[in-house]
Amino acid sequence: MQYDLLITEGAERDLEEIYGYIAEFDSLSNADYVLDQLMD
């Protein structure tokens, strides 16, 4: 089931920080994967 989702500016910043953390301390490919899964 799909839902429409509105991401606030604060939530978008949080996602960017999470992405950056994963990219820095794990790998860029894993950061891409996590973001893709959250956005699906």
Side-chain angles (χ1 to χ4, degrees):
M1 184 182 296
Q2 289 189 352
Y3 298 93
D4 290 331
L5 181 66
L6 174 64
I7 299 176
T8 64
E9 289 180 26
E12 185 174 357
R13 280 192 301 272
D14 290 344
L15 289 172
E16 289 171 355
E17 289 180 19
I18 292 167
Y19 179 89
Y21 181 88
I22 296 170
E24 182 176 349
F25 294 103
D26 191 14
S27 70
L28 186 57
S29 63
N30 283 344
D32 288 336
Y33 174 80
V34 169
L35 187 60
D36 289 343
Q37 293 301 306
L38 288 171
M39 299 308 289
D40 276 343

